[in-house]
Amino acid sequence: MSLSSLGLLGRKVGMMRLFTDDGDAVPVTVLDVSNNRVTQVKNQDTDGYVALQVTFGSRRTSRVTKPQAGHLAKAGVEAGEIIREFRLDAEAAAKYKAGAAIPVQDVFSAGQLVDVQGTSIGKGFTGTIRRHNFSSQRASHGNSRSHNVPGSISMAQDPGRVFPGKRMSGHMGDVTCTTQNLDVVRVDETRGLLLVKGAVPGAKNGFVTVRLAAKGQPKPVQVQAKAEKGKK
């Protein structure tokens, strides 16, 4: 799947489970991707590249800067909470105009694989073991109050210093991350919901960006018919 493809912006609602006809429970994350609006269609001649600028959500007028308000007024679009761009080819971008809405069924369908990008939950200041998934030291046999500490961090007199980038304690979480190859279990066209199997990064009500999977998109099954050999 090409990296240049249309996606949708949304909000993480929470998790639930669906039941199959066989009675198996499938854990899914509910994503609200309703009311995606096109704020600008960028083209090669004017902007140097082809892309679709999309906004999601609703923001009060007092919270919108004057340059952004003028940009949105030109497209005739209500101010949203987030704005993102999706690179497209010229043929795909020509299907949309500024101010048009993008229904979820136009982009995604059940059975597809998607990549979901969001901001992970912040964990605050964390120790080295937890932050970098290191192994703890021995629990006994000579270890004295050094069970969950990193231990030595430097070397001998040569070079006699700690190299930059050493993995140590610090702030954990609150970074942009992507969960790849999540199955689209169901698409609710009426409410604009996307139900994907698995966990999505971020807390509830956090903003997410959903794109078609860049690596693991299933390939359609091709059936080759065998030609009958003529009799000689």
Side-chain angles (χ1 to χ4, degrees), residues 119-136:
T119 303
S120 61
I121 300 176
K123 304 295 183 180
F125 190 92
T126 318
T128 313
I129 305 298
R130 181 186 178 190
R131 188 186 185 197
H132 301 290
N133 197 27
F134 288 164
S135 297
S136 302

Side-chain angles (χ1 to χ4, degrees), residues 86-102:
F86 298 98
R87 291 287 189 99
L88 298 174
D89 52 23
E91 184 180 354
K95 299 178 181 179
Y96 298 93
K97 295 183 178 179
I102 307 178

